[in-house]
Amino acid sequence: MKVLVTGGAGFIGANFVHLTLRTRPDATVTVVDALTYAGNTESLPTDERVTLVKGDIADRELVDDLVGDADLVVHFAAESHNDNSLHDPWPFVQTNVLGTYALLEACRRHGTRLHHISTDEVYGDLELDDPAKFTPETPYNPSSPYSSTKASSDLLVRAWVRSFGLEATISNCSNNYGPFQHVEKFIPRQITNIIDGERPKLYGAGLNVRDWIHVDDHNAAVWAIVDRGRMGETYLIGADGELDNKTVIETILTEMGQDADAYDHVSDRPGHDLRYAIDATRTREELGWEPAYTDFASGLRATIAWYRDNEPWWRARKHETELKYQRIGR
Ligand code: NAD
Ligand code: TDX
């Protein structure tokens, strides 16, 4: 099977390539990645079954060629950071909307199967005490330029399924953690701050809740959808990992041998979503998928160890990332 992975030099895509090599002896992988600030070739395994093409998914000619040569497209490429989208939304429209459009048209022309990777943020946010969680039937209500462009891309996929009979599935996953995540994101930022002797930074009061899942569990669910998912369907992926940010920061500090309160409060993110929570019943019951990482503390411990052991991987990006945060006061 020839798999085209868009955004495979990013966090989740690179972990997907590693998982595919480990578990799919029949698969070869072509990664197409623009190698933006978020892409890193060092995240990819060196293996004769993996080919990297540097390119933009909004480049219709390139995408047409690559899709024409693939049996399956798994579409991770995106601008993915909410804070960036609040300061410069254009790359989010360009990649998340126009890039997805280019892929959809290529898949339509070649009759190629597509799996589109999306996020729980398309559903907006929940009150802290809301007993409901997001389900595939929850109405879309995105808050940020990031989540609204991801919602747009999901709607394009749905329309291509209905109007053109495209063979596609969609997954909306909660917050991922694990190896190879850029140091701009919450968990790696705090781990690497502590390694550097800097204090972790908590936005606002830190009561915002995220539903954490290990990246390998996300990617195992993606393969389950590719193998057994119903065409045109949306599957939610989450591991019942709800925690508020304050608890996560305190757990990281404790795991790293620091006082649990040795962090700073910084200004809050404008429009900051309060809570995400996924009901993954359909994915579990229909596809028989179950997360392997059910204990967040042990998954986090392994992730802390990975950042300690792989400093050359993140070091080059740490300084510029913190400069960017300094400029926006966070
Ligand atoms: P990331 O920012 O780490 O990686 C994105 C990758 O896409 C990078 O390698 C980047 O170079 C590449 N890219 C960006 N623009 C491109 C373009 N125009 N053409 C080709 N490549 C381009 O992101 P991530 O966290 O790995 O997220 C991957 C996907 O998963 C995204 O679609 C995101 O919306 C979704 N998602 C992420 C999370 C999470 O917690 N990180 C949760 C749910 C869903
Ligand atoms: O330094 C920080 N301090 C802090 O308190 C950072 C970087 C973040 N935060 C807070 C903001 C959020 O409530 O932590 C939470 C997580 O922040 P991010 O890592 O920026 O993730 P989030 O905005 O929740 O979005 C993530 O999950 C859904 C991914 O970046 C998205 O791509 C995905 O769709």
Side-chain angles (χ1 to χ4, degrees), residues 80-83 119 121 146 175 184-186 189-190 201-203 208 210 245 269 272 276 325:
S80 70
H81 194 36
N82 275 299
D83 289 322
T119 170
E121 298 193 18
Y146 163 67
N175 282 60
E184 71 186 352
K185 300 293 181 354
F186 180 51
R189 184 182 186 204
Q190 316 312 334
K201 310 284 183 228
L202 187 65
Y203 292 178
N208 308 63
R210 295 294 181 264
N245 294 339
R269 172 185 286 171
H272 196 173
Y276 307 133
Y325 277 120

